[in-house]
mmCIF file with all atom_site columns, all heavy atoms in Angstrom:
data_model
loop_
_atom_site.group_PDB
_atom_site.id
_atom_site.type_symbol
_atom_site.label_atom_id
_atom_site.label_alt_id
_atom_site.label_comp_id
_atom_site.label_asym_id
_atom_site.label_entity_id
_atom_site.label_seq_id
_atom_site.pdbx_PDB_ins_code
_atom_site.Cartn_x
_atom_site.Cartn_y
_atom_site.Cartn_z
_atom_site.occupancy
_atom_site.B_iso_or_equiv
_atom_site.pdbx_formal_charge
_atom_site.auth_seq_id
_atom_site.auth_comp_id
_atom_site.auth_asym_id
_atom_site.auth_atom_id
_atom_site.pdbx_PDB_model_num
ATOM 1  N N   . ALA O 1 10  ? 116.418 68.360 132.856 1.00 85.00 ? 10  ALA O N   1
ATOM 2  C CA  . ALA O 1 10  ? 117.441 68.812 131.910 1.00 85.00 ? 10  ALA O CA  1
ATOM 3  C C   . ALA O 1 10  ? 117.994 70.166 132.350 1.00 85.00 ? 10  ALA O C   1
ATOM 4  O O   . ALA O 1 10  ? 117.259 71.048 132.801 1.00 85.00 ? 10  ALA O O   1
ATOM 5  C CB  . ALA O 1 10  ? 116.838 68.934 130.511 1.00 85.00 ? 10  ALA O CB  1
ATOM 6  N N   . LEU O 1 43  ? 118.728 71.920 123.160 1.00 93.00 ? 43  LEU O N   1
ATOM 7  C CA  . LEU O 1 43  ? 117.500 72.458 122.587 1.00 93.00 ? 43  LEU O CA  1
ATOM 8  C C   . LEU O 1 43  ? 117.474 73.951 122.856 1.00 93.00 ? 43  LEU O C   1
ATOM 9  O O   . LEU O 1 43  ? 117.526 74.379 124.012 1.00 93.00 ? 43  LEU O O   1
ATOM 10 C CB  . LEU O 1 43  ? 116.273 71.788 123.212 1.00 93.00 ? 43  LEU O CB  1
ATOM 11 C CG  . LEU O 1 43  ? 114.903 72.374 122.836 1.00 93.00 ? 43  LEU O CG  1
ATOM 12 C CD1 . LEU O 1 43  ? 114.621 72.189 121.349 1.00 93.00 ? 43  LEU O CD1 1
ATOM 13 C CD2 . LEU O 1 43  ? 113.805 71.742 123.684 1.00 93.00 ? 43  LEU O CD2 1
ATOM 14 N N   . VAL O 1 44  ? 117.404 74.750 121.789 1.00 93.00 ? 44  VAL O N   1
ATOM 15 C CA  . VAL O 1 44  ? 117.345 76.204 121.908 1.00 93.00 ? 44  VAL O CA  1
ATOM 16 C C   . VAL O 1 44  ? 115.919 76.641 121.589 1.00 93.00 ? 44  VAL O C   1
ATOM 17 O O   . VAL O 1 44  ? 115.384 76.294 120.537 1.00 93.00 ? 44  VAL O O   1
ATOM 18 C CB  . VAL O 1 44  ? 118.346 76.885 120.945 1.00 93.00 ? 44  VAL O CB  1
ATOM 19 C CG1 . VAL O 1 44  ? 118.280 78.402 121.106 1.00 93.00 ? 44  VAL O CG1 1
ATOM 20 C CG2 . VAL O 1 44  ? 119.767 76.389 121.215 1.00 93.00 ? 44  VAL O CG2 1
ATOM 21 N N   . GLN O 1 126 ? 123.846 82.449 99.880  1.00 95.00 ? 126 GLN O N   1
ATOM 22 C CA  . GLN O 1 126 ? 122.662 82.364 99.020  1.00 95.00 ? 126 GLN O CA  1
ATOM 23 C C   . GLN O 1 126 ? 121.476 83.155 99.583  1.00 95.00 ? 126 GLN O C   1
ATOM 24 O O   . GLN O 1 126 ? 120.619 83.602 98.819  1.00 95.00 ? 126 GLN O O   1
ATOM 25 C CB  . GLN O 1 126 ? 122.243 80.906 98.814  1.00 95.00 ? 126 GLN O CB  1
ATOM 26 C CG  . GLN O 1 126 ? 123.003 80.191 97.708  1.00 95.00 ? 126 GLN O CG  1
ATOM 27 C CD  . GLN O 1 126 ? 124.443 79.881 98.087  1.00 95.00 ? 126 GLN O CD  1
ATOM 28 O OE1 . GLN O 1 126 ? 124.697 79.390 99.178  1.00 95.00 ? 126 GLN O OE1 1
ATOM 29 N NE2 . GLN O 1 126 ? 125.377 80.180 97.198  1.00 95.00 ? 126 GLN O NE2 1
ATOM 30 N N   . SER O 1 191 ? 120.551 88.942 113.091 1.00 93.00 ? 191 SER O N   1
ATOM 31 C CA  . SER O 1 191 ? 119.622 89.785 113.846 1.00 93.00 ? 191 SER O CA  1
ATOM 32 C C   . SER O 1 191 ? 120.367 90.991 114.384 1.00 93.00 ? 191 SER O C   1
ATOM 33 O O   . SER O 1 191 ? 121.500 90.876 114.868 1.00 93.00 ? 191 SER O O   1
ATOM 34 C CB  . SER O 1 191 ? 118.996 88.995 115.000 1.00 93.00 ? 191 SER O CB  1
ATOM 35 O OG  . SER O 1 191 ? 117.962 89.749 115.596 1.00 93.00 ? 191 SER O OG  1
#
Side-chain angles (χ1 to χ4, degrees):
L43 173 65
V44 181
Q126 276 72 46
S191 189

